[in-house]
Amino acid sequence: MSFYIVNLALQFFSRKVFLDYLGTEILGLNTTAMNLLQFLNLAELGVNAAVGFTLYKPLHDNDIQSVNEIVTLQGRLYRRIAMIIIGGAAVLMCFFPLIFAKIELPLWYAYASFGVLLYSAMLGYFVNYRQIVLTASQQDYKVLYSYKSVMILKVLFQMCAVRYFDNAYVWWLVLEVVFASVASLSLHRMTMKAFPALADTGHSFRQLRKKYPEFILKIKQLFIHKFGGFAIYQVSPLIIYAYTSLSLVAVYGNYMIIVTGIQIMAQMAFAGMTAGIGNLIAEGNKEKIVKVFEEYFSLRFFISAVMTFGLFVLSTPLVTLWIGSNYLLPQSTLLIILAIMYITLFRHILESFISAYGLYSDVYATVVEASVNIALSVILGAFYGLDGVLGGTLVSILLVVVFWKPYYLFRKGFNGHYDRFVRMFIIHNAIGIGLAVVFVFSTKILFHVVTQSVTHAFFIGLAVVALYAVVLCALLYVFTNGMRMAAGRISSLLRSTKS
């Protein structure tokens, strides 16, 4: 968590330096190039997630031979996928004059940006892929030590280069290549140190595919889910660019840095939980699993509600202090972004159990979600611009995440108890959203009367968010079993730590 907070702070500072010395045009170009690369990465097919699911049992049983075979199979697949991505990138770059027809920068900027990002991504397919054994064995912190520490240094060097050197963007690109290479080698060394017996088995792809047929099935299912995720979260900036400009993509990207930071922070707070849930599911005690889900739901809902409310209260003073009031989005756009973030945080609650169960067969739901998202974003974007594009995303995730995913999990995983979930969902959201509305209207007068500057408004906002968190926690404790169980677990952990 400490590594992540430092990295998040650096992202804010580096974004400010980037905007001041390179401008929104280059930043929008960089964001668009990243989205194009994410499209090519669809070829990854969800191999990484399938490997993680397949590794839980052999890691638990200390079956080194099976671990080596699964990771070897991943390596064989990744080499094939990397070749597909490189070929797709070559074809895509032929269309750059059309894709970036609206930019005022030299076209080589687009080629250089995309090429550097492609190189960094390919390191994951040829060098970094073995890190999955660290994730599956709940040793993600070693990935942070070996990889993220180097990337933090990269950001610091890039900030200095952009600020003080001529040809700043060229230096930014060179440092991106150098530090990506160093970080990959560092991560590979950490992985081999943690698992010295990890080695290529020498088996062919065909032999390994026959031995692990479920692995290939999960990949096929996960590919559809991965495509749906791309359509929801990566296509939007491209549609925004089509209807607006690179500058608005950059302004939207500023908010998405904050939103993504909040989402990752929530994930970091529960890092390793999926593997732990997998062990719980292996016990087969359905009633215990449902109780743990209820406890987990309450705890993550509390964090999600506080983060969403906090961003609503603090986003305006935060962005103003960070990069200036010229980069603020309208209130209507902010509300849609917050609604999407809120549902996405809720989605992670369900996905933790869905992934632990390996429930990926609902591919039609993902097709519907992606189709609705793209269709509505294009149609509404033509009439309402940025709000329309984001509105299409909001409708699509509401349909699938709020209505379908819980039903699918409780039917396939928990074998019932869906009515229990409906009651839990209504009670939590009624408390969280109702309290947020009360706080917004009751504190609006306070902000107008008490605040004297943007800095003052930011700290007043922090106090309001803290008070909201305290009251929400108390109400959830009174009205929900999950929060009472979570409080009891935390209290027990604290007592055991002291003893």
Side-chain angles (χ1 to χ4, degrees):
M1 183 64 78
S2 300
F3 266 87
Y4 174 70
I5 292 172
V6 170
N7 186 61
L8 181 61
L10 280 176
Q11 290 297 323
F12 279 97
F13 284 115
S14 65
R15 187 87 171 183
K16 172 66 174 175
V17 171
F18 207 109
L19 283 168
D20 287 346
Y21 292 95
L22 295 177
T24 57
E25 188 83 359
I26 290 181
L27 190 58
L29 169 66
N30 195 272
T31 302
T32 304
M34 178 64 76
N35 292 132
L36 291 173
L37 183 60
Q38 289 292 331
F39 175 76
L40 291 175
N41 274 332
L42 283 173
E44 195 266 346
L45 301 173
V47 173
N48 196 61
V51 170
F53 169 74
T54 311
L55 280 174
Y56 290 146
K57 189 176 188 306
L59 283 172
H60 179 269
D61 298 338
N62 198 29
D63 184 354
I64 302 300
Q65 178 63 25
S66 294
V67 169
N68 283 335
E69 289 175 349
I70 293 168
V71 175
T72 299
L73 177 56
Q74 180 190 21
R76 301 281 189 271
L77 277 171
Y78 265 18
R79 284 175 178 81
R80 288 167 168 78
I81 293 168
M83 293 299 105
I84 294 173
I85 292 176
I86 292 171
V91 173
L92 186 61
M93 285 190 287
C94 295
F95 295 92
F96 273 20
L98 295 175
I99 296 173
F100 295 101
K102 293 194 290 184
I103 68 172
E104 298 177 1
L105 299 166
L107 194 58
W108 72 263
Y109 274 54
Y111 286 106
S113 300
F114 186 75
V116 167
L117 294 173
L118 178 64
Y119 170 78
S120 298
M122 289 303 98
L123 289 174
Y125 289 97
F126 290 104
V127 181
N128 294 342
Y129 67 90
R130 297 179 185 88
Q131 76 172 59
I132 188 62
V133 295
L134 297 177
T135 302
S137 60
Q138 302 184 58
Q139 298 183 60
D140 265 336
Y141 61 92
K142 292 183 178 179
V143 177
L144 294 177
Y145 292 161
S146 58
Y147 189 85
K148 294 296 184 182
S149 57
V150 178
M151 301 311 283
I152 286 174
L153 288 175
K154 179 203 75 171
V155 174
L156 289 172
F157 274 85
Q158 285 178 327
M159 289 170 61
C160 292
V162 169
R163 172 65 177 81
Y164 296 109
F165 292 175
D166 294 330
N167 299 315
Y169 193 55
V170 175
W171 279 104
W172 186 91
L173 294 171
V174 170
L175 290 170
E176 189 76 22
V177 170
V178 171
F179 279 93
S181 302
V182 173
S184 296
L185 293 174
S186 175
L187 178 56
H188 175 71
R189 182 179 178 184
M190 176 65 76
T191 304
M192 299 312 297
K193 184 178 180 180
F195 290 88
L198 193 63
D200 192 303
T201 61
H203 293 102
S204 68
F205 172 72
R206 182 174 296 181
Q207 290 174 313
L208 294 171
R209 184 179 62 180
K210 289 181 178 179
K211 186 170 183 179
Y212 298 95
E214 187 182 23
F215 177 75
I216 303 301
L217 174 63
K218 296 299 179 185
I219 289 174
K220 292 177 180 178
Q221 294 172 347
L222 279 163
F223 170 70
I224 305 299
H225 289 284
K226 190 177 177 74
F227 177 81
F230 173 83
I232 296 165
Y233 300 110
Q234 301 299 331
V235 170
S236 291
L238 299 178
I239 300 176
I240 293 168
Y241 169 58
Y243 284 122
T244 58
S245 66
L246 284 175
S247 295
L248 186 55
V249 173
V251 174
Y252 170 70
N254 295 333
Y255 279 80
M256 292 314 297
I257 283 181
I258 302 173
V259 170
T260 303
I262 289 173
Q263 291 173 349
I264 296 176
M265 187 176 292
Q267 288 296 92
M268 291 292 293
F270 296 91
M273 276 296 295
T274 301
I277 292 169
N279 290 330
L280 172 68
I281 289 171
E283 295 180 13
N285 188 331
K286 294 293 182 182
E287 184 61 28
K288 182 180 179 181
I289 293 170
V290 173
K291 284 183 177 179
V292 171
F293 174 84
E294 189 172 354
E295 178 183 349
Y296 183 64
F297 182 96
S298 292
L299 197 55
R300 289 206 64 158
F301 173 85
F302 169 73
I303 293 175
S304 301
V306 171
M307 287 180 167
T308 305
F309 178 76
L311 183 55
F312 176 77
V313 173
L314 298 172
S315 60
T316 297
L318 178 60
V319 172
T320 303
L321 288 170
W322 174 27
I323 50 179
S325 59
N326 292 332
Y327 295 96
L328 290 173
L329 286 172
Q331 193 80 347
S332 61
T333 308
L334 174 62
L335 287 173
I336 300 174
I337 290 174
L338 289 175
I340 293 172
M341 185 186 81
Y342 184 70
I343 297 172
T344 301
L345 290 171
F346 169 70
R347 184 180 205 137
H348 292 318
I349 301 172
L350 304 172
E351 292 294 347
S352 295
F353 279 80
I354 288 173
S355 297
Y357 273 111
L359 297 175
Y360 302 121
S361 62
D362 61 330
V363 293
Y364 294 110
T366 301
V367 172
V368 170
E369 184 178 12
S371 301
V372 170
N373 176 73
I374 294 174
L376 286 181
S377 293
V378 171
I379 295 170
L380 296 177
F383 292 98
Y384 303 105
L386 179 58
D387 286 1
V389 175
L390 297 177
T393 299
L394 178 59
V395 172
S396 68
I397 62 176
L398 268 172
L399 290 174
V400 174
V401 176
V402 175
F403 296 104
W404 166 252
K405 287 290 183 182
Y407 175 76
Y408 176 68
L409 172 62
F410 275 75
R411 182 169 64 89
K412 290 285 189 177
F414 299 157
N415 296 329
H417 304 285
Y418 182 67
D419 57 332
R420 188 168 172 176
F421 167 80
V422 172
R423 290 194 300 271
M424 183 170 54
F425 179 83
I426 293 174
I427 291 172
H428 282 77
N429 281 278
I431 294 172
I433 297 174
L435 185 64
V437 172
V438 170
F439 262 74
V440 167
F441 283 102
S442 62
T443 58
K444 186 177 291 187
I445 299 175
L446 176 68
F447 272 90
H448 285 297
V449 174
V450 178
T451 55
Q452 301 171 352
S453 65
V454 176
T455 305
H456 198 200
F458 178 79
F459 286 106
I460 291 293
L462 281 178
V464 170
V465 174
L467 182 60
Y468 172 83
V470 172
V471 177
L472 178 62
C473 183
L475 290 175
L476 289 176
Y477 185 86
V478 172
F479 291 103
T480 67
N481 292 326
M483 183 55 78
R484 286 193 291 272
M485 288 189 291
R489 183 185 298 273
I490 293 171
S491 177
S492 176
L493 288 171
L494 291 175
R495 286 196 301 270
S496 64
T497 302
K498 290 180 180 179
S499 61

